[in-house]
Amino acid sequence: MNRKVNAKQTMPYIVLFVVVALVLFAFTFGNTKYNTLTYNELLGELSKGNVTEITTTEHSGNGIYYITGKLEGYKKNEYFKTNAPLSETVQETLQTQQTNHEFKWTVGTNPENSTFMVILINFVPIIIIVGATIFLFARLSGSNKNSMDFGRSRAKLSEDGGRVRFKDVAGLEEEKQEVAELIDFLKNPKKFQKLGARIPKGVLLVGPPGTGKTLLAKAVAGEANVPFYFISGSDFVELFVGVGASRVRDMFKQAKHNAPCLIFIDEIDAVGRQRGTGLGGGHDEREQTLNQLLTEMDGFGANEGIIIIAATNRPDVLDPALLRPGRFDRQVTVSLPDQKERHAILQVHAKDKTFAPSVNLENISRRTPGFSGADLENLLNEAALLAVRRNKNAIGMTEIDEATDRVLMGPAKTSRKITEKEKRLVSVHEAGHAVVGLKLEDANDVHKITIIPRGMAGGYTMMLPKEDKMMVTTRNELEAQITGLLGGRVAEETFLGEITTGASDDFKKATKIARAMVTEYGMSDLGTVQLEERSEGVFLGRDYNKSKNFSDAVALEIDKEVRKIIDECYKKTTKILKENKKLVMLISDTLMERETITKEEIEELVSTGKLASKDESEVLKELKDQAKEIGIKGYTKMSREELEDAIKNANSEE
């Protein structure tokens, strides 16, 4: 690949070469020793035959000969030097002595007659000095230029908006319609002005992480035939106060020259947080930047033809002045996708992947409620990585299932040694969760139970909603969630006579739901009063100075109501499990044997009370199929025990 040579990059090497050359020159010639002789002394040495070599250089300007040479007994770097009158007598004398004593005689070139030496001595030093001066001034001017650019906008201009189009964004039909209106206005403003419509100056994209806010903005850039500036909120904030405000001014100044145009600010909460918040005061640089942004969007100056699109997943921390009409007039909520949208997203990310015939993307979309677009892309990527590790030519359902577990809980820890007692505890615990989910009408569907450790969990029960729900949850459904969470602890206590630490996370989730029912949703005897407001702890100062919405007496009543909900659900859980003891132990025994049970196998256990037994040949065939998928060599000659060990070792290495 050809690369252009940068003078600034090569200059240090040139300087280094010159320095090394000078050092070598000084080392080579700096150690040479010259002994000064008079002309008469030289004649005496010549007559004695002590001269071994001699060099004469004629210098007509001074009327002398420069004579150098070596005598007998001189060292390698030792020479003599002398001067003689420029006359024929000297030449005749030297010729006579050379005939008598046969020494080496060299006639040097007169430096005055060498054009190269004249240029080297007279002009090269001047060129070096002038070049060094120009280089230094260029560096200084470059530094000043960078310092002057410190307040320049970091927004990047895209003329074509990139390659993303609306067709590349699966789902989000209503959201695309909202932002497409902006593009339509920029292309044909008269259609809107005819009816007196004013297009929004700013559109705020709000939603959880990974739902496609930035992707939607890229699609707007791709569809628009106008200049598109994009920048992150953190690019405005700097160490020095006033720099961010300067960058905002410069960004809008550039945008005015290219109007009509779009500006996209990603993660606007980095600069748009509420002013005056935070323990110990505000943040002057960020607040000045926000003030300048507010002024540019809807101040005394007019910025016609400039539309701002911003994205954030924390709209609750934004300054109210930023959200008022005239600034961000419109908020577009980008929610988690439903089943239909998940199917469309999976189809987009599956374009460049090879799947086995058994893979059904629609079934996968039904099994992944609550997954964002980024989660689904990660799911298929993890499945592809697993298929590559196993040397498979296509992605199968085995890889999809494993990838789903990896995304939710982390990789399986098959190499961890588990005692039989611990295995029984985990199996009973998970069976308790599953049976409550199976027997409660308002509970989620049980899709999978496993006692293989993943992440921090010794096992888990995958329970998914019966259908996608976007808006509300009933009280019965919340109580069913609490009851299901308590199933593990109740099963341990009821059937094993002891309790473990495995239910700590279940208690945390159950208590959070119960407290929200009391303080936020008005689902208790305290009435329909919101006593607490959901807070994410954005600013320490905000939470530290937050006043209570209730007295200490009411706080005691809140604790009593929370405990009352938990206790009632605990009693309900105990009743369900005692009535279905056989099913709990049946699921536990099956988990001890197979470690993982799928939804179909769970339904078979519930309906028939057992799983269809597999003969040895069928089990051996399944093991060989797994070994073939994983890529185990020599699997055809292995016994059942050898195959099980090889498969377990291969999974642990992954």
Side-chain angles (χ1 to χ4, degrees), residues 295-539:
T295 303
E296 293 289 348
M297 289 189 70
D298 188 26
F300 284 103
N303 288 317
E304 297 296 335
I306 300 176
I307 297 177
I308 300 178
I309 302 176
T312 181
N313 51 20
R314 297 303 312 275
D316 55 310
V317 306
L318 296 179
D319 194 279
L322 199 61
L323 303 177
R324 75 158 175 82
R327 289 182 177 138
F328 282 104
D329 304 80
R330 182 179 297 174
Q331 290 190 31
V332 178
T333 301
V334 185
S335 305
L336 291 171
D338 58 16
Q339 187 271 325
K340 182 180 178 181
E341 291 174 330
R342 289 196 299 273
H343 185 206
I345 293 171
L346 287 170
Q347 287 178 325
V348 170
H349 294 301
K351 286 181 180 178
D352 57 345
K353 296 178 175 62
T354 303
F355 292 93
S358 60
V359 176
N360 188 319
L361 295 180
E362 186 172 0
N363 290 340
I364 297 173
S365 68
R366 297 181 187 279
R367 295 168 50 188
T368 51
F371 277 50
S372 66
D375 292 332
L376 294 172
E377 190 275 336
N378 187 38
L379 169 65
L380 294 185
N381 185 62
E382 285 288 343
L385 292 175
L386 285 170
V388 172
R389 291 180 195 173
R390 296 171 179 178
N391 297 317
K392 297 182 66 176
N393 297 323
I395 303 170
M397 280 306 300
T398 305
E399 287 74 35
I400 297 290
D401 291 337
E402 175 66 19
T404 304
D405 294 339
R406 280 172 174 261
V407 172
L408 291 174
M409 302 295 295
K413 299 180 179 179
T414 54
S415 61
R416 180 180 294 177
K417 293 183 178 180
I418 305 175
T419 63
E420 286 298 315
K421 180 180 179 182
E422 187 177 7
K423 197 173 182 181
R424 173 60 71 179
L425 284 169
V426 175
S427 66
V428 171
H429 181 102
E430 299 304 330
H433 287 305
V435 170
V436 174
L438 291 169
K439 296 302 179 180
L440 270 182
E441 182 180 352
D442 295 311
N444 294 332
D445 279 345
V446 181
H447 278 251
K448 186 178 184 179
I449 315 170
T450 180
I451 58 173
I452 298 175
R454 288 183 180 272
M456 300 298 294
Y460 75 97
T461 301
M462 182 188 293
M463 300 177 67
L464 302 177
K466 294 182 177 68
E467 56 185 2
D468 285 327
K469 300 190 66 174
M470 304 296 294
M471 300 300 294
V472 296
T473 304
T474 65
R475 176 172 179 169
N476 288 338
E477 289 171 342
L478 291 174
E479 290 180 348
Q481 290 181 29
I482 298 174
T483 305
L485 289 168
L486 298 176
R489 166 57 66 86
V490 174
E492 294 172 1
E493 189 175 7
T494 304
F495 304 117
L496 299 178
E498 58 181 331
I499 57 178
T500 68
T501 59
S504 59
D505 189 59
D506 298 332
F507 293 157
K508 178 181 178 181
K509 294 176 181 177
T511 305
K512 185 177 181 180
I513 296 172
R515 189 169 186 88
M517 291 173 65
V518 175
T519 61
E520 296 180 39
Y521 307 144
M523 296 179 179
S524 70
D525 293 340
L526 293 181
T528 54
V529 180
Q530 188 178 47
L531 301 171
E532 287 181 353
E533 191 173 346
R534 191 180 296 271
S535 174
E536 302 294 339
V538 182
F539 303 110

Side-chain angles (χ1 to χ4, degrees), residues 636-652:
T636 56
K637 299 180 181 179
M638 292 184 181
S639 64
R640 174 177 176 176
E641 292 75 15
E642 291 173 337
L643 283 169
E644 290 176 344
D645 292 339
I647 292 171
K648 182 173 289 188
N649 292 333
N651 290 331
S652 64

Side-chain angles (χ1 to χ4, degrees), residues 52 183 199 227 283 332 415 479 599:
T52 59
I183 301 172
I199 201 70
H283 188 298
V332 178
S415 61
E479 290 180 348
K599 181 180 180 181

Side-chain angles (χ1 to χ4, degrees), residues 1 4 13 19 30 66 77 90 101 123 146 168 212 226 242 252 295 318 385 409 418 486 517 532 558 627 630 634:
M1 182 173 60
K4 295 182 178 179
Y13 297 100
V19 171
Y66 290 134
N77 293 330
V90 174
H101 300 289
F123 294 101
N146 291 336
D168 300 318
V226 296
F252 277 89
T295 303
L318 296 179
L385 292 175
M409 302 295 295
I418 305 175
L486 298 176
M517 291 173 65
E532 287 181 353
I558 292 173
I630 297 173

Side-chain angles (χ1 to χ4, degrees), residues 72-109:
E72 290 285 351
Y74 271 18
K75 297 178 180 179
K76 184 177 180 180
N77 293 330
E78 189 176 4
Y79 298 86
F80 69 81
K81 65 179 180 177
T82 186
N83 297 330
L86 187 62
S87 64
E88 295 181 359
T89 306
V90 174
Q91 286 222 19
E92 293 174 357
T93 303
L94 292 175
Q95 289 174 355
T96 303
Q97 293 296 335
Q98 186 187 29
T99 303
N100 296 333
H101 300 289
E102 295 182 352
F103 56 82
K104 183 180 178 182
W105 182 12
T106 305
V107 178
T109 305

